[in-house]
């Protein structure tokens, strides 16, 4: 089982790059450093545009920046994928259903995506 991760690693990346909270707020177009502090102390979750802004600033992937949140979403999606797989597998198969079943098996780790030529 994968180790439990922090909800995000924003403070770590900010400290590594040497930026202050007000400087990050400016780069993200926020009105003050208070919001940066809330993100870094896990009291708030950045929206999509802010998360993408952090990606641009730190040149690090969102799953790396938001490790714990990513892990949580990944587990939820995989649980739902298993349920959907069971539901679709009980239906009469057709090419669309088979394609979906293939993707769901990849999501839950039962198979790999086919190699592209």
């Amino acid at each position: 089982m994968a180790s439990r991760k922090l909800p995000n690693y924003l403070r770590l990346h900010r400290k590594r790059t040497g930026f202050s909270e007000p400087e990050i707020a400016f780069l993200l177009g926020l009105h003050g450093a208070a919001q940066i502090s809330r993100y870094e102390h896990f009291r708030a979750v950045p929206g999509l545009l802010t998360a993408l802004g952090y990606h641009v600033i730190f040149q690090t992937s969102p799953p790396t920046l938001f490790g714990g949140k990513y892990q949580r979403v990944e587990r939820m999606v995989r649980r739902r994928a298993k349920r959907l797989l069971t539901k679709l597998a009980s239906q009469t198969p057709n090419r669309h259903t088979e394609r979906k079943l293939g993707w769901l098996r990849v999501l839950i780790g039962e198979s790999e995506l086919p190699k592209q030529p």
Side-chain angles (χ1 to χ4, degrees):
M1 179 172 211
S3 65
R4 220 171 141 84
K5 296 184 177 187
L6 293 174
N8 71 59
Y9 293 87
L10 300 175
R11 185 171 193 268
L12 173 76
H13 286 281
R14 179 177 61 78
K15 292 286 190 177
R16 281 185 182 166
T17 57
F19 288 114
S20 67
E21 288 180 357
E23 290 167 335
I24 293 295
F26 175 79
L27 290 171
L28 292 171
L30 302 175
H31 295 290
Q35 190 63 40
I36 301 302
S37 179
R38 286 191 282 278
Y39 297 150
E40 290 182 359
H41 292 95
F42 320 129
R43 291 191 300 269
V45 178
L48 177 60
L49 294 179
T50 300
L52 291 173
Y54 273 116
H55 162 68
V56 170
I57 293 165
F58 297 133
Q59 298 294 295
T60 303
S61 71
T64 300
L65 289 171
F66 302 98
K69 289 291 182 190
Y70 181 84
Q71 247 181 3
R72 184 172 174 223
V73 168
E74 184 178 40
R75 280 192 306 268
M76 289 186 326
V77 169
R78 286 192 172 150
R79 274 196 303 265
R80 291 180 187 133
K82 286 178 184 178
R83 289 176 34 207
L84 185 57
L85 178 72
T86 301
K87 179 182 172 185
L88 292 176
S90 68
Q91 297 177 359
T92 305
N94 62 44
R95 68 185 170 122
H96 297 294
T97 304
E98 291 300 324
R99 184 179 336 147
K100 292 176 199 176
L101 290 171
W103 275 102
L104 291 168
R105 287 184 184 105
V106 169
L107 279 174
I108 63 175
E110 289 186 359
S111 69
E112 295 179 12
L113 285 175
K115 302 246 191 266
Q116 298 287 329

